[in-house]
């Protein structure tokens, strides 16, 4: 499906990340974890870009959450040059990075940076549908100021019964946060507590590839791992 959608709201999430709320004439049906292709409608021709939907299919709008990248032409425009009421061409949904609540009773979410976008969708969906899914949510950032949806994900931990939230910082040591990368010792502990879970990894290429390797080295089967690369 392709349609023009208007920017209904722009939310500044962090110093380098915004969420665009999009509304169109037709509701787009999608599964938690899927993405859309967007094309900006300015005078200058811009390439299409893929963004995971950070809103739940239970809502009557779409949201994408975009982190400004050093060499990201489109991410810079989205973060600094968009206005409410502007139209964006939206195509989709696409992708197999999908949470299936019927088949997945336990999930482990491993995110870094803007890789949190589809996991916000998962959590909103679980809350809205009142699902009994057991969730372990690990989110890695360089510093506290980089944490996207910090208040919301802490709220998710209160609303989703049994959700274990681990916020880890790689360049700061602060009370209430784990310090360090997602390394072998950490993964070993996660795997031992989540036997039979489905694992989702989303973030920059290095983080995704390294984490996938660690999961497999600690006995998680390939078919139980879904990965999506950002950036």
């Amino acid at each position: 499906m392709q349609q023009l959608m208007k920017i209904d709201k722009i939310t500044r999430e962090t110093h380098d990340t915004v969420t665009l709320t999009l509304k169109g004439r037709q509701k787009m049906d999608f599964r938690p974890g899927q993405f859309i292709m967007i094309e900006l409608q300015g005078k200058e021709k811009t390439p299409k870009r893929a963004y995971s939907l950070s809103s739940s299919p239970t809502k009557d709008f779409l949201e994408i959450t975009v982190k400004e990248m050093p060499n990201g032409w489109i991410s810079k425009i989205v973060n600094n040059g968009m206005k409410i009421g502007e139209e964006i061409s939206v195509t989709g949904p696409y992708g197999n990075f999908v949470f299936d609540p019927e088949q997945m009773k336990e999930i482990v979410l491993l995110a870094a940076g803007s890789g949190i976008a589809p996991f916000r969708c998962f959590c909103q969906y679980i809350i809205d549908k009142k699902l009994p899914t057991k969730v372990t949510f690990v989110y890695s950032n360089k510093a506290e100021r980089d944490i996207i949806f910090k208040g919301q994900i802490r709220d998710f931990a209160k609303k989703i019964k049994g959700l274990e939230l681990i916020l880890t910082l790689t360049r700061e040591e602060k009370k209430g946060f784990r310090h360090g990368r997602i390394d072998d010792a950490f993964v070993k502990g996660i795997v031992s507590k989540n036997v039979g879970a489905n694992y989702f990894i989303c973030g920059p290429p290095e983080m995704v590839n390294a984490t996938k390797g660690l999961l497999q080295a600690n006995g998680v089967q390939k078919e139980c791992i879904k990965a999506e690369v950002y950036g």
Side-chain angles (χ1 to χ4, degrees):
M1 173 194 279
Q2 181 174 10
Q3 64 174 307
L4 287 176
M5 302 189 83
K6 283 189 177 180
I7 300 174
D8 187 62
K9 187 179 177 184
I10 301 172
T11 306
R12 172 62 60 183
E13 306 292 356
T14 69
H15 60 100
D16 63 358
T17 304
V18 297
T19 294
L20 300 186
T21 303
L22 307 173
K23 287 192 173 181
R25 290 183 178 178
Q26 292 177 277
K27 185 180 187 299
M28 182 184 288
D29 292 320
F30 66 96
R31 299 173 73 194
Q34 289 191 300
F35 68 90
I36 56 173
M37 301 294 296
I38 71 161
E39 186 176 10
L40 307 183
Q41 300 295 292
K43 292 177 184 176
E44 192 174 7
K45 182 73 175 174
T46 58
K48 291 184 178 182
R49 287 288 184 267
Y51 290 105
S52 291
L53 289 156
S54 59
S55 55
S56 167
T58 53
K59 309 299 183 185
D60 63 354
F61 51 80
L62 301 182
E63 286 185 326
I64 56 171
T65 300
V66 182
K67 185 181 180 75
E68 185 175 340
M69 306 304 288
N71 300 312
W73 177 25
I74 303 303
S75 70
K76 286 181 188 295
I77 296 173
V78 171
N79 265 267
N80 304 295
M82 306 303 293
K83 294 177 181 176
I84 290 171
E86 279 190 69
E87 289 187 323
I88 292 177
S89 175
V90 175
T91 313
Y94 304 104
N96 299 309
F97 187 77
V98 171
F99 164 53
D100 180 354
E102 295 298 320
Q103 304 295 326
M104 302 172 181
K105 303 303 181 186
E106 293 186 29
I107 56 175
V108 177
L109 313 178
L110 299 149
S114 57
I116 191 176
F119 299 154
R120 178 195 190 227
C121 169
F122 286 16
C123 290
Q124 286 183 335
Y125 187 77
I126 288 167
I127 290 165
D128 290 346
K129 291 289 189 178
K130 297 180 171 60
L131 299 173
T133 315
K134 181 178 182 287
V135 184
T136 300
F137 193 163
V138 180
Y139 185 27
S140 175
N141 284 281
K142 291 175 183 175
E144 186 178 0
R145 74 194 287 257
D146 299 315
I147 299 174
I148 303 167
F149 306 128
K150 184 171 65 175
Q152 288 184 41
I153 55 181
R154 284 184 165 149
D155 194 42
F156 294 157
K158 294 174 185 174
K159 291 181 177 178
I160 299 174
K161 188 178 179 181
L163 184 147
E164 181 183 5
L165 177 63
I166 303 167
L167 298 176
T168 184
L169 305 177
T170 59
R171 296 188 184 176
E172 281 183 348
E173 290 189 50
K174 285 194 169 184
K175 187 178 179 182
F177 298 91
R178 175 185 175 270
H179 175 65
R181 295 184 179 278
I182 298 173
D183 56 16
D184 184 64
F186 178 72
V187 168
K188 200 179 294 294
I190 291 289
V191 171
S192 68
K193 291 193 294 183
N194 294 278
V195 177
N198 287 89
Y199 289 78
F200 290 85
I201 316 165
C202 193
E206 283 184 18
M207 174 268 181
V208 169
N209 294 330
T211 306
K212 188 192 294 185
L214 289 172
L215 288 173
Q216 291 177 350
N218 282 282
V220 180
Q221 300 299 307
K222 277 185 179 181
E223 57 268 23
C224 294
I225 303 170
K226 287 180 179 280
E228 193 102 298
V229 174
Y230 267 47

